Amino acid sequence: MNNLLDEITEPITKRVATGLSKIAMALRSHAWQEAGARGLTPTQGQILLFLRQQPDQSAMLSTISDALGISDPTGCEAVRVLEKKQLIRKVRSKTDARVVANILTPKGRKEADRTASWQDFLAEAVGSLTDTEQEALLRGLVKTIRALQEQGNIPISQMCVTCNFFRPNVHDDPERPHHCAYVDAPFGDKLLRVECAEYQPAAPEDRGPTWDAFLAGKY
Ligand code: SF4
């Protein structure tokens, strides 16, 4: 039977969204503090981090803007400042001289390594959860991020579930049901990646079937 709390409490979806927005607020404030202390804006820090995660630590401006969900003028200005600070430099493609990419300099690599620790306070908080809770949270986040991507609210990120190399639930081992065709190895939910340097986007027509196969797992 319903009681007063049932009547006055917001739906769980709204309470979870409120909780996530509190975490986002903490991340933003931490990023501003850390970035400010190093003379960077959070966007400039994100660009360094993004380049750090790329296989050759370089990317074109349009790729950076798309990945971070920022406009080209915003990305252009941030890149200009990073170049002035000698944290990145421009390089021309060896195969097409018209293509110019931004690459981390040695100084930029060091700064990107320091920037990577901005989120350590959050990782530490997540560390207070049990292994099972962490795995469930990771899977829940993957599903939420994917739903936001489908809504068009955030760009496609380099996650396993949209990767060309991802083969979900192809093994009988319940601990390692998935397969990564890039490293040719089985893995379980606890190793799902939300940012992977080896990521290669799956063809749009393959994303739906891959997602259905992923959902057909244990949840
Ligand atoms: S290459 Fe990376 S993103 Fe793709 S399936 Fe393997 S681990 Fe996941």
Side-chain angles (χ1 to χ4, degrees):
M1 196 186 359
N2 282 4
N3 64 24
L4 182 60
L5 268 185
D6 292 297
E7 308 280 327
I8 64 172
T9 305
E10 285 196 307
I12 189 165
T13 48
K14 291 213 167 190
R15 279 175 285 136
V16 170
T18 302
L20 288 174
S21 70
K22 284 177 192 257
I23 293 172
M25 212 184 305
L27 273 171
R28 251 197 319 274
S29 127
H30 214 82
W32 273 111
Q33 277 170 25
E34 295 276 343
R38 318 199 69 83
L40 299 172
T41 64
T43 301
Q44 290 161 8
Q46 281 180 319
I47 292 175
L48 294 181
L49 267 186
F50 178 74
L51 291 176
R52 180 181 185 262
Q53 284 152 355
Q54 304 315 299
D56 52 4
Q57 302 192 324
S58 75
M60 291 193 309
L61 174 62
S62 56
T63 307
I64 295 171
S65 302
D66 286 351
L68 301 187
I70 55 177
S71 66
D72 274 347
T74 301
C76 186
E77 175 57 17
V79 161
R80 187 189 66 75
V81 175
L82 289 171
E83 206 180 349
K84 202 169 159 206
K85 290 176 184 283
Q86 300 179 332
L87 297 174
I88 62 176
R89 67 182 171 83
K90 299 243 184 289
V91 279
R92 285 200 181 274
S93 162
K94 287 180 188 141
T95 50
D96 185 346
R98 290 165 302 174
V99 176
V100 176
N102 303 283
I103 189 166
L104 286 177
T105 61
K107 186 178 163 191
R109 267 197 294 279
K110 277 191 200 145
E111 192 59 52
D113 289 343
R114 281 193 282 261
T115 303
S117 65
W118 285 5
Q119 297 167 356
D120 284 357
F121 76 100
L122 185 54
E124 204 180 312
V126 173
S128 68
L129 305 180
T130 64
D131 287 353
T132 309
E133 287 168 339
Q134 287 180 24
E135 193 177 325
L137 179 61
L138 178 60
R139 187 165 169 119
L141 283 173
V142 165
K143 290 173 91 169
T144 307
I145 293 169
R146 202 252 181 194
L148 287 168
Q149 288 173 174
E150 289 294 298
Q151 290 170 0
N153 279 314
I154 55 171
I156 301 266
S157 71
Q158 298 171 314
M159 301 199 297
C160 289
V161 291
T162 54
C163 178
N164 190 34
F165 298 116
F166 187 48
R167 311 282 184 267
N169 293 310
V170 291
H171 298 295
D172 291 333
D173 181 354
E175 290 299 311
R176 294 176 181 270
H178 316 309
H179 196 87
C180 170
Y182 181 81
V183 291
D184 194 19
F187 68 105
D189 280 357
K190 71 174 76 162
L191 291 183
L192 281 171
R193 292 190 178 186
V194 289
E195 200 72 60
C196 174
E198 285 73 38
Y199 171 89
Q200 191 181 88
E205 65 272 20
D206 292 338
R207 282 188 208 142
T210 299
W211 182 245
D212 290 344
F214 174 65
L215 292 184
K218 62 184 174 178
Y219 287 87

